[in-house]
């Protein structure tokens, strides 16, 4: 398509879009908006389904929907129908979980990044690869066929926040009933809280450097806060503490 834009103006417009959060091209094929504009607008049709009530309390609605889910499939479907979280509108996929739901260990991360958003599974990017290696070192794999040697993994948020920004408190609050139900249905022996956001959601506090390695209780289960693998990629010297935490997890699983 020909335009009168000079190079500098085109670049400035592109930078402006990136500042607004458009960090990826969504469509595979270009769309000629001029041709589209020439077509008559479709006639407005009255909606046949009532739009979600804007006055509803998002947390109360999340609680009702989550508690109504009888199994993990229904919980995923309930999340798919939950309209209050704006993040869903910018995400490509709902990222629900991966691994073995029967596993004794359930890992709870923060939110999908770009790779997870594209693939639709948690922890598949660089941080996820490190996480796989870490848990493999104590004999736990997400693709293990036996529940004993497996882990199950999810995130506090099932949708990618724009530009991987931290989730906001109201977004965490909306998702908490779903996470609680997720833990109830999977019923692991222990949960691992990966990083500050996961501690914020599960324990109501942050400060991972202080919290890590000390067993606590979250979602009604024994919970171990650990450094997030993304943090370990940036701070490899902290792998020593992460290894100590993995050994603590292993001891707990083998313990009486
Ligand atoms: N970081 C997370 O906390 N979760 C993911 O799924 C990926 C990166």
């Amino acid at each position: 398509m020909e335009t009168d834009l000079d190079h500098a103006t085109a670049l400035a417009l592109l930078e402006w879009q990136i500042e607004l959060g458009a960090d990826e091209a969504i469509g595979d094929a270009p769309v000629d908006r001029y041709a589209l504009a020439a077509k008559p607008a479709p006639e407005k049709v009255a909606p046949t389904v009532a739009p979600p009530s804007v006055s509803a309390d998002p947390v109360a609605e999340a609680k009702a929907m989550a508690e109504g889910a009888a199994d993990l499939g229904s919980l995923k479907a309930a999340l798919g129908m939950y309209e209050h979280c704006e993040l869903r509108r910018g995400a490509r996929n709902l990222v629900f979980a991966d691994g073995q739901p029967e596993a004794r260990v359930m890992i709870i991360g923060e939110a999908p990044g770009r790779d997870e958003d594209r693939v639709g599974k948690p922890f598949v990017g660089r941080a996820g690869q490190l996480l796989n290696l870490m848990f493999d070192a104590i004999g736990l794999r997400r693709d293990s066929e036996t529940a004993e040697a497996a882990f199950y993994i999810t995130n506090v948020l099932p949708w990618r926040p724009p530009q991987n920004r931290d989730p906001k408190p109201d977004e965490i609050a909306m998702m908490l009933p779903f996470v609680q139900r997720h833990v109830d249905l999977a019923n692991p022996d222990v949960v691992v809280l990966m990083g500050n956001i996961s501690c914020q959601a599960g324990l109501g506090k942050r400060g991972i450097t202080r919290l890590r390695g000390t067993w606590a209780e979250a979602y009604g289960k024994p919970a171990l806060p650990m450094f997030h693998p993304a943090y370990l990629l940036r701070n490899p010297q902290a792998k020593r503490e992460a290894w100590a935490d993995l050994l603590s997890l292993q001891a707990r699983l083998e313990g009486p």
Side-chain angles (χ1 to χ4, degrees), residues 50-58 61 83-84:
S53 154
V54 280
S55 62
D57 173 351
E61 199 165 311
E83 290 286 344
H84 290 283

Side-chain angles (χ1 to χ4, degrees), residues 3 22 30 33 63 99 124 160 168-169 174 185 204 208 221 228 239 253-254 256:
T3 74
R33 303 274 167 208
K63 207 162 179 287
V124 293
R160 181 192 181 197
K168 297 179 187 164
M174 282 179 218
L185 289 170
I208 190 65
K221 300 285 177 191
H228 194 288
K239 285 183 184 168
L253 295 173
E254 286 171 358

Side-chain angles (χ1 to χ4, degrees), residues 108-110 156 192-203 219:
I108 305 178
E110 173 182 330
V156 174
V192 174
L193 306 175
M194 275 300 177
N196 258 324
I197 299 296
S198 188
C199 289
Q200 177 70 55
L203 305 173
Y219 311 107

Side-chain angles (χ1 to χ4, degrees), residues 45-124:
V45 183
T48 48
V49 179
S53 154
V54 280
S55 62
D57 173 351
V59 177
E61 199 165 311
K63 207 162 179 287
M65 289 174 80
E67 285 172 4
D71 53 38
L72 292 172
S74 316
L75 186 67
K76 182 174 180 187
L79 268 169
M81 287 185 295
Y82 184 74
E83 290 286 344
H84 290 283
C85 186
E86 285 302 316
L87 294 177
R88 62 175 291 144
R89 290 179 236 297
R92 289 184 182 180
N93 276 303
L94 186 160
V95 177
F96 184 66
D98 196 21
Q100 267 262 22
E102 292 82 24
R104 296 179 64 199
V105 177
M106 179 167 177
I107 302 171
I108 305 178
E110 173 182 330
R114 177 191 292 230
D115 295 322
E116 291 76 19
D117 182 43
R118 200 173 47 227
V119 175
K121 286 186 181 173
F123 284 97
V124 293

